[in-house]
Amino acid sequence: LSAVTGLPAGVGGKVLQVIQSVSTYSFTTTSSSFVDIESASGTDWETAITPSATSSKILILLNIPVTGSNSGASSNRGGFDLQEKIASGSYATKNRTFIGNYDYGGSGVQMNQNCNLVFLSSPGTTSACTYKARVSSSGGTSMNVSGDSDKNSTITLMEIAG
C-alpha cells in the first residue's frame, strides 16, 4: 500500500467544493403552513452551489436552532422543510422533518432544539442549485428560529464527485 499515490480513475466520493451560509437573524412564526426562513426582514435565506459536472451529487447539511413555546397548551410542535431549485426553475421539497414535545399537565410547554436535516441530492446539472429552508407551526406553537445570540442557523453544501 505504500506505493499507492492516488485513487484509480472513476472513483467518486471526493469533495470538490464546500459552500456554507450562516444566518444570525431571529425569525418567528405561528403559521401552520410552511413559510420561508429569513436571513433578514423580508429576505429569504437561500444558498447556492454550482456543480462542476452533471454526475456530481450535492450533500446538504442543515442545522437550525429553534425555540418553540405554547402557553397554556399541552403540546409544542413544528416542522422543517428543505427545498431545492435548479437554475431558474421552481423550488421542490427534498426532505422534511417534524419536532415537538408534550406536557401532560397542559400548563404550557417550551422546547429548545436543533433541527438537523441531511440530504444527498443528484441534481444532474452544471447549473446553479439553490437551497432554502421553511418552517411551520402546529396548534399555535410560536416557532423561533435562531432566537439566541450564540446560536446560528447554518447550511453547508458539498459537491461530491459522482
Side-chain angles (χ1 to χ4, degrees), residues 4 6-16 55-56 160-162:
V4 176
L7 293 173
V11 174
K14 294 180 183 177
V15 175
L16 302 177
S55 61
S56 291
I160 310 296

Side-chain angles (χ1 to χ4, degrees), residues 14 20 36 76 95 135 154:
K14 294 180 183 177
Q20 185 177 59
D36 294 340
N76 207 356
N95 198 356
V135 61
T154 59

Side-chain angles (χ1 to χ4, degrees), residues 16-108:
L16 302 177
Q17 64 173 314
V18 177
I19 305 289
Q20 185 177 59
S21 174
V22 177
S23 175
T24 60
Y25 183 68
S26 181
F27 174 82
T28 303
T29 186
T30 57
S31 175
S32 60
S33 299
F34 281 98
V35 294
D36 294 340
I37 293 176
E38 298 178 344
S39 60
S41 181
T43 303
D44 294 343
W45 180 40
E46 300 174 311
T47 306
I49 189 169
T50 302
S52 58
T54 57
S55 61
S56 291
K57 298 185 181 331
I58 306 299
L59 179 62
I60 304 111
L61 308 168
L62 180 65
N63 178 47
I64 302 172
V66 62
T67 301
S69 58
N70 201 344
S71 298
S74 60
S75 67
N76 207 356
R77 297 182 306 260
F80 291 90
D81 189 41
L82 173 66
Q83 299 237 307
E84 176 186 66
K85 176 177 73 171
I86 298 174
S88 60
S90 299
Y91 276 104
T93 297
K94 299 310 260 180
N95 198 356
R96 185 174 281 176
T97 191
F98 295 91
I99 60 173
N101 58 4
Y102 191 81
D103 171 25
Y104 288 99
S107 60

